[in-house]
Each structure stands twice: as C-alpha cells, then as structure tokens.
Amino acid sequence: MTQLPSFSERLLSWFDQYGRTSLPWQENKTPYRVWVSEIMLQQTQVSTVIPYYNRFMSTYPCVTDLADAPLDDVLSLWTGLGYYARARNMHRAAQMVVGNFDGEFPSSVEALETLPGIGRSTAGAIVTLGHGGWAPILDGNVKRVLARFHSIEGWPGKADVLAALWVASESHTPRMRTGDYTQGIMDLGATLCTKSNPGCLYCPMADDCQARIENRPADFPGKKPKKAVPVRSTIFLQCIDREGRILLERRPPNWYLGRTVVLSRTTRQSGGSRLALR
C-alpha cells in the first residue's frame, strides 16, 4: 500500500494551487500588517474585513501612527466591524509596542502574548506570517480541520480537548515554509473544511480524515455543553383593595419613596394582564 504524503506536504501542495495569495495583508507583509489583519479576522469573515483593513492601513500605516491616535478616532474607524474591545486592545497594544519594544513587534510567542488582545494562536500567526519564524496556530478554522482529521471528540473550550488540538497543530506544522502552511491550513478551513457542507470530495486530507471515514464531519469539533437552567423559587406580595385594584408604590430615580400610584382594575387581553393608570 502506497504511503500518503505527510499532512503538511499535502496541505502545501493544495495551497500552491488553491490557496489565497492576494489578500491585502499578504502584500508588503510586516508583523504590524499581519497583526491588524489577525485581530480584525477574529470572529469576522474575510469579505467583511477587507474594506475595513484597507481604510485602517491608509489611516494608520505603521504602529506608531496607531499608538499616537486618539482612541475615539480608532473606534470611529472600527464602527460597524463589531467586538469593539478588539479596537481598544489594539490601541493599548500599539502603545506598548512603541513604549516597551521600541516600535518593533516581538518575534517570540511569549513576548507577543504580553500584549493586550493577543493569545497564543494570534501570536503564532504573527511569528510565522510576519516574522517568518516557526509556531503553531489554532484559530477556529484550524480547530475544525484538526478535530475532524484526528477525530478529536469534545468541545475545544475544554482544557483536555484544547490540549489535544495544540499537540496536533504542533505535530503538523513544518519547519520549512511555515508561513505558507499557516496560511494554507486557515484557507482550508475557510474554503473547504467549512462548518456546514464541507467539500470533502476536493480536500487533500480526505483519504485519511477520520471524520470523513466515519461519515461524521458534522460532529467535529464538539459543541459547547448546554448549562442546566437553574430553578429558583421566590415569594412576593400583591396588594389588592376591595374593588380589585392593585396598589403599587413608585420609586423615583433618586430612590425616594414617593406617592402611591393606584391602578385601575386588571383587564385580560390575549391571556395576559394589562394595568392602566387611572
């Protein structure tokens, strides 16, 4: 039986044919440009990010420009992209890069993780795509690809599941062409190994992907367990006079106990109650 090429070899071959190579942040690549794109792409699709990224880079072409900008201006430029904590963290991180690292993004995962809004996966992307170094990544797309390929059960938010995914990511990340591999595995998850209706027929990993073999791609990665809804009991009093009117005491904004408001008799409409001021 012929042995399949390694995971990374197949991925790189696929990337050379089908990978995305003309995205704005892939041009004139720098750690700063990669960082901005990675933060914007968190929980946001590429097509949505592109116009925001282009405007952002036109306004703040380098990290010093961003660090010197008023926060309100940064937030205004971010309007519509959502998750505004990302913009606040970016502004703080830019100031730290200028103040603590002489305006140069660190080249190690550990140092990058000291900056606000940068976790291990984002740091890995900056190291590989921006600095040309080696580091594994594990964003949402990569989690899905690896969970399916290795049939890793469970929700990635659980520590043991996340640890297994990191081990898989480290084992597959090659020492050569790491940046292309990093972009390739993100592209594979975004374009073929999608959350619903994955294109297994065209996937370079299809022959030994455990989720495909078991016909269970929809089961990976596992879903977040639902929390049990707590059941609570309480007691409250309702004051009703002899004419059936409900008596309420209205509190003004300063919490001074004001006058008593008397409401008219309760009337029923569509199964609910309506109280009208008399």
Side-chain angles (χ1 to χ4, degrees):
M1 182 176 178
T2 304
Q3 185 176 2
L4 289 168
S6 70
F7 184 97
S8 62
E9 288 172 337
R10 281 178 282 165
L11 183 66
L12 286 167
S13 179
W14 175 86
F15 174 74
D16 288 339
Q17 288 184 276
Y18 306 107
R20 296 177 292 189
T21 58
S22 58
L23 296 170
W25 43 89
Q26 294 174 322
E27 301 169 4
N28 303 317
K29 199 177 294 183
T30 66
Y32 171 70
R33 289 173 63 85
V34 170
W35 168 63
V36 172
S37 70
E38 287 298 315
I39 300 299
M40 286 188 170
L41 287 165
Q42 292 172 359
Q43 303 182 62
T44 310
Q45 294 184 343
V46 168
S47 58
T48 301
V49 165
I50 288 176
Y52 282 92
Y53 178 85
N54 288 333
R55 286 194 295 270
F56 199 91
M57 296 310 302
S58 295
T59 307
Y60 308 122
C62 69
V63 68
T64 303
D65 295 324
L66 177 57
D68 292 340
L71 177 58
D72 286 346
D73 290 354
V74 177
L75 292 172
S76 177
L77 202 59
W78 199 273
T79 300
L81 198 56
Y83 302 101
Y84 289 88
R86 294 182 295 174
R88 295 186 182 92
N89 284 334
M90 281 183 65
H91 190 248
R92 288 172 53 213
Q95 293 175 333
M96 290 178 64
V97 169
V98 171
N100 301 345
F101 298 100
D102 297 324
E104 299 291 335
F105 274 82
S107 58
S108 73
V109 169
E110 294 75 17
L112 285 165
E113 284 187 284
T114 65
L115 300 174
I118 297 182
R120 182 180 176 185
S121 185
T122 300
I126 296 169
V127 168
T128 58
L129 299 174
H131 286 291
W134 182 91
I137 68 162
L138 199 61
D139 70 355
N141 286 323
V142 178
K143 287 176 183 176
R144 186 166 56 253
V145 170
L146 296 178
R148 286 173 173 170
F149 184 79
H150 290 285
S151 187
I152 298 175
E153 304 274 359
W155 175 51
K158 294 180 62 177
D160 58 337
V161 178
L162 186 63
L165 289 168
W166 273 116
V167 168
S169 181
E170 290 175 358
S171 69
H172 291 306
T173 304
R175 293 288 171 174
M176 302 295 290
R177 296 190 65 190
T178 309
D180 288 343
Y181 171 88
T182 296
Q183 186 63 55
I185 195 169
M186 291 192 292
D187 287 355
L188 186 70
T191 62
L192 281 186
C193 195
T194 50
K195 186 175 181 180
S196 58
N197 301 317
C200 297
L201 182 64
Y202 308 101
C203 181
M205 311 303 172
D207 287 344
D208 53 350
C209 173
Q210 294 304 301
R212 188 201 65 81
I213 293 170
E214 299 167 12
N215 196 27
R216 300 174 55 207
D219 294 339
F220 302 95
K223 295 179 174 58
K224 182 178 181 179
K226 293 183 179 179
K227 289 185 178 180
V229 179
V231 178
R232 295 187 177 92
S233 60
T234 187
I235 298 174
F236 66 92
L237 299 177
Q238 189 177 57
C239 299
I240 304 176
D241 66 12
R242 292 180 180 179
E243 297 181 17
R245 295 177 297 185
I246 298 174
L247 307 180
L248 300 177
E249 190 170 44
R250 174 181 291 168
R251 294 188 179 192
N254 60 6
W255 291 98
Y256 171 78
L257 296 182
R259 62 186 179 86
T260 298
V261 178
V262 181
L263 302 179
S264 66
R265 186 183 302 275
T266 301
T267 59
R268 296 286 177 182
Q269 287 191 349
S270 303
S273 298
R274 184 181 68 178
L275 298 180
L277 284 171
R278 194 180 66 177

